[in-house]
Amino acid sequence: MFNRYISKMSLKAKILLIIIMMSLQVIFITTLVMSLFGVKLFDFLAIKKQDSTGNVVNAFNYFKNQTYAYSSMISENFAVKRGSYFNNNSTILKYVQPLQGKVHIDVIIIHNAKKTILAQAHQPEEFNIPDLENVPVEAALRGESVFAVRPYRDRILMATTTPIYHEIEAQNIVGATTVGYFLDDHFAREIQKLTGGQILFINNGRIFASSFERLAPDDVAISPEELRQTKRIGAIPFDIGFIPITSPQFKALGVAIATDNSPIKRTFLLIILSISLLFLISTIFTLIISLRIETNITHSVNTGMKAAEAMANDNYDVHLELATEDEFKKLADVFNKMVLSVNDSFNRIKSQHDEIQNLKNYLSNIIESMPSMLVSLDQAGIITQWNTAAARITGSETTSALGK
């Protein structure tokens, strides 16, 4: 059935069908390639997002471990032990103030066993301050090391508190050391150095610190869900990952990592545009070449048909000339040889016919000029020849005698 439909199609329709089929193949291949690129891109971005989130967690753990290490180190210091036992502020400050500058710790606080602040490296002028509601200190005075994220003077502090034991009586706790970092812009930039992504600290749907140099007011008041939906901060698109920070004092505290994947996406878009452009160019080129082929073939066929029609109308002087070098050229050469052969045969037949006609006329003249009567009959007895002498002798004209 399909072959019957194809056989009824014109040559132009057949070539057009070939073009359509080729275009469909190119479209299919292009779509397949773009789909594969898209899947690979999204897989890559998903993995990169997971890696970025994991890097943030690792960075937090790094700083968490730092607070524990420095807090333990300070609690083990001889001057800190003695200063905590004797409530000697100056002895403790001589050690912790230079140390804070060296290790770049935001907060170093020493409490005595009565939960009174003996010394603060970041605020040395404030000491002997009761801090009775400090839960981590209470736990440290029971011999526990506590890591907590909690409010501290209108700021948020991430700190570890460890017990300070008596220098001789190992079971006697004389105080507690708290070492920590404020969750602020500076700390966000420190995490950024370790992760490579922009960091935003969010609490109750508001960005209170970030690694960005500056945020617009509209960007500050944005929730994690809005970040995930808009995927942009200001005019810059980002892929957002959010990690909640567990703390009894905060219900909606977390850190968001914003990764600028726009260069990757632009590269992907450039690849897609390049593939599309190549597809468009190849399609146009295919159309141009195919139309040229169709024009060439149609011209050859039409020229051949005109020559054949001329030959059918007894014009044996026709000559088929095609400006091609393909099979049509060979067909034209065969056609021209055939025309020459037919023309030669026709001329020979015509010449023979003329000779026969001349001979017939010559014999007819001889018969008509005979003095004797000459009558010819066919097998049925019908008169086919009646010369002039027969007409004269019988009195019947030739026209009336023939056929009787």
Side-chain angles (χ1 to χ4, degrees), residues 258-329:
T259 306
D260 183 9
N261 290 319
S262 55
I264 300 174
K265 294 179 179 179
R266 282 196 299 269
T267 302
F268 172 73
L269 181 61
L270 181 62
I271 293 173
I272 296 300
L273 290 177
S274 300
I275 293 175
S276 301
L277 181 61
L278 289 175
F279 163 70
L280 180 62
I281 293 174
S282 63
T283 302
I284 294 174
F285 182 75
T286 302
L287 286 172
I288 293 174
I289 296 299
S290 300
L291 289 175
R292 292 292 298 174
I293 293 173
E294 183 271 335
T295 302
N296 182 270
I297 293 175
T298 304
H299 174 73
S300 299
V301 172
N302 291 337
T303 305
M305 288 180 63
K306 290 180 181 178
E309 289 175 357
M311 184 177 176
N313 294 326
D314 298 332
N315 181 6
Y316 299 110
D317 293 330
V318 66
H319 182 76
L320 181 57
E321 187 68 32
L322 297 177
T324 60
E325 299 297 332
D326 53 9
E327 288 77 3
F328 284 105
K329 178 66 174 178

Side-chain angles (χ1 to χ4, degrees), residues 320-385:
L320 181 57
E321 187 68 32
L322 297 177
T324 60
E325 299 297 332
D326 53 9
E327 288 77 3
F328 284 105
K329 178 66 174 178
K330 297 179 181 179
L331 183 61
D333 294 340
V334 173
F335 177 83
N336 291 331
K337 290 180 181 179
M338 181 185 69
V339 170
L340 291 175
S341 177
V342 172
N343 193 26
D344 291 342
S345 299
F346 177 78
N347 290 332
R348 285 196 302 270
I349 293 172
K350 184 178 180 182
S351 177
Q352 292 174 358
H353 178 270
D354 292 342
E355 291 177 359
I356 292 173
Q357 188 64 38
N358 292 334
L359 180 59
K360 183 178 178 180
N361 292 335
Y362 177 72
L363 292 175
S364 178
N365 291 331
I366 293 176
I367 293 172
E368 291 297 321
S369 62
M370 289 178 60
S372 302
M373 178 179 173
L374 178 63
V375 178
S376 299
L377 303 175
D378 60 12
Q379 292 181 353
I382 297 174
I383 298 173
T384 60
Q385 183 69 38

Side-chain angles (χ1 to χ4, degrees), residues 62-363:
Y62 168 77
F63 286 108
K64 175 183 176 181
N65 294 334
Q66 287 284 82
T67 62
Y68 177 78
Y70 289 132
S71 179
S72 300
M73 181 183 70
I74 294 171
S75 294
E76 292 296 327
N77 182 265
F78 177 79
V80 174
K81 288 176 178 288
R82 176 163 291 191
S84 300
Y85 181 75
F86 290 106
N87 294 325
N88 190 331
N89 169 269
S90 61
T91 301
I92 296 174
L93 284 178
K94 285 181 181 179
Y95 171 70
V96 296
Q97 272 194 294
L99 178 64
Q100 183 187 20
K102 292 179 181 178
V103 299
H104 305 290
I105 295 292
D106 291 338
V107 173
I108 300 177
I109 306 173
I110 307 298
H111 291 78
N112 61 15
K114 296 180 180 180
K115 295 197 298 184
T116 299
I117 297 176
L118 291 179
Q120 299 184 92
H122 58 292
Q123 291 176 322
E125 69 281 359
E126 295 187 14
F127 58 94
N128 290 332
I129 301 173
D131 197 10
L132 302 181
E133 297 181 359
N134 196 320
V135 176
V137 172
E138 289 183 0
L141 293 176
R142 295 194 302 267
E144 302 175 12
S145 294
V146 181
F147 173 81
V149 179
R150 58 191 179 87
Y152 182 83
R153 297 184 179 182
D154 298 328
R155 303 175 75 179
I156 297 178
L157 178 66
M158 178 183 95
T160 298
T161 303
T162 58
I164 302 172
Y165 292 96
H166 191 275
E167 57 181 317
I168 298 175
E169 300 173 5
Q171 300 302 320
N172 185 13
I173 299 175
V174 297
T177 301
T178 300
V179 174
Y181 298 94
F182 287 119
L183 301 188
D184 55 12
D185 293 345
H186 174 74
F187 186 65
R189 294 189 186 100
E190 290 298 316
I191 295 181
Q192 180 194 16
K193 293 177 184 178
L194 297 177
T195 61
Q198 296 288 355
I199 302 300
L200 303 105
F201 290 113
I202 303 173
N203 184 32
N204 292 325
R206 187 176 182 84
I207 299 174
F208 65 88
S210 76
S211 57
F212 287 94
E213 291 297 329
R214 183 179 179 184
L215 287 177
D218 293 339
D219 297 328
V220 172
I222 186 168
S223 67
E225 288 302 321
E226 289 174 322
L227 276 175
R228 291 193 186 99
Q229 292 174 5
T230 58
K231 292 187 176 181
R232 64 175 54 249
I233 301 170
I236 304 175
F238 287 94
D239 289 331
I240 309 297
F242 185 76
I243 306 169
I245 299 176
T246 304
S247 174
Q249 286 88 358
F250 301 100
K251 295 181 179 180
L253 178 64
V255 57
I257 179 168
T259 306
D260 183 9
N261 290 319
S262 55
I264 300 174
K265 294 179 179 179
R266 282 196 299 269
T267 302
F268 172 73
L269 181 61
L270 181 62
I271 293 173
I272 296 300
L273 290 177
S274 300
I275 293 175
S276 301
L277 181 61
L278 289 175
F279 163 70
L280 180 62
I281 293 174
S282 63
T283 302
I284 294 174
F285 182 75
T286 302
L287 286 172
I288 293 174
I289 296 299
S290 300
L291 289 175
R292 292 292 298 174
I293 293 173
E294 183 271 335
T295 302
N296 182 270
I297 293 175
T298 304
H299 174 73
S300 299
V301 172
N302 291 337
T303 305
M305 288 180 63
K306 290 180 181 178
E309 289 175 357
M311 184 177 176
N313 294 326
D314 298 332
N315 181 6
Y316 299 110
D317 293 330
V318 66
H319 182 76
L320 181 57
E321 187 68 32
L322 297 177
T324 60
E325 299 297 332
D326 53 9
E327 288 77 3
F328 284 105
K329 178 66 174 178
K330 297 179 181 179
L331 183 61
D333 294 340
V334 173
F335 177 83
N336 291 331
K337 290 180 181 179
M338 181 185 69
V339 170
L340 291 175
S341 177
V342 172
N343 193 26
D344 291 342
S345 299
F346 177 78
N347 290 332
R348 285 196 302 270
I349 293 172
K350 184 178 180 182
S351 177
Q352 292 174 358
H353 178 270
D354 292 342
E355 291 177 359
I356 292 173
Q357 188 64 38
N358 292 334
L359 180 59
K360 183 178 178 180
N361 292 335
Y362 177 72
L363 292 175

